[in-house]
Structures are given as C-alpha cells and as structure tokens.
Amino acid sequence: QVQLVESGGGLVQAGGSLRLSCAASGRTFNTDVMGWFRQAPGKEREFVASIRWSGINTYYADFAKGRFTISRDNAKTTVYLQLNSLKPEDTAIYYCATRSSTSNEYRYWGQGTQVTVSS
C-alpha cells in the first residue's frame, strides 16, 4: 500500500501563488511516476502534471505550462506543485496520485487539497 497526503491548498487572489505538497509513504518503491490532477465543481478530473522519481522528465497539461512547476524531493519522498499566476478557473480540488512505470493507471490517490482563487 502507498499513502499520499496532500497539503498546501488555500484561498488566494488571482495572480497569486501556492505550493502544494504530496508526501508519499508505504511501499513507495512501486511508485515510479507521481502525478497531479484537479477536479473543479461540475467538471471531470483532469491531468495537471507528472514527474518521475528517477530522471528529470516532467509533463504538463497545456493550461499548466509556464505557470505551474512540478518537482520532487526523493529524500523526503515528497512531490511539489508550484502554482503561479493563478486564475479563478484554477479553482479545484488538487489530487496527487502515483503509478508504476509499467502501467498507465494511477493506482493510489491522496485525499485532495482545495485551491480557491478569487477574482
């Protein structure tokens, strides 16, 4: 089992920044890829960004490019998502999730952290 705990969400004005954290514990050797997703009210969950524990490859959704940055701290088994230049449409619950490199399915999910951007 893998446990994921997100933190760092909150209320911020448009143009502001937040840094989300996702701490992983448990059988983390099976968590090659860490991803961030978000779900806004009335909308489907969507991919935001992903990173591998090993290597430097990162991937971003188009809306995240240039504004959001995903990073990791292997020693702390923690992944971060820096959110800059936030917009009201970024308001959502942000989830971290993990999968192995041999699967396309994100198997373990955190409980989510709320990000609210006011105009």
Side-chain angles (χ1 to χ4, degrees):
Q1 286 281 22
V2 176
Q3 293 79 43
L4 302 175
V5 179
E6 303 99 331
S7 60
L11 173 64
V12 64
Q13 289 187 331
S17 298
L18 285 172
R19 189 176 81 156
L20 308 182
S21 300
C22 174
S25 61
R27 299 169 65 90
T28 56
F29 62 84
N30 201 30
T31 60
D32 300 321
V33 180
M34 298 295 294
W36 284 97
F37 294 76
R38 71 183 188 182
Q39 187 166 20
K43 295 187 177 180
E44 293 189 352
R45 185 173 60 200
E46 62 181 348
F47 171 79
V48 178
S50 66
I51 190 169
R52 292 183 177 272
W53 287 117
S54 60
I56 59 173
N57 290 348
T58 57
Y59 300 92
Y60 295 93
D62 287 343
F63 64 81
K65 292 177 181 176
R67 298 192 301 128
F68 299 172
T69 303
I70 190 170
S71 62
R72 71 195 190 286
D73 183 332
N74 289 21
K76 296 181 179 180
T77 59
T78 298
V79 175
Y80 305 97
L81 186 67
Q82 178 69 41
L83 309 175
N84 294 331
S85 302
L86 283 163
K87 306 174 182 180
E89 52 264 43
D90 294 318
T91 295
I93 299 175
Y94 284 70
Y95 300 91
C96 70
T98 184
R99 63 174 175 87
S100 72
S101 60
T102 59
S103 173
N104 289 325
E105 179 187 0
Y106 282 84
R107 182 176 180 183
Y108 299 103
W109 293 80
Q111 82 288 350
T113 185
Q114 176 71 49
V115 172
T116 303
V117 184
S118 63
S119 58

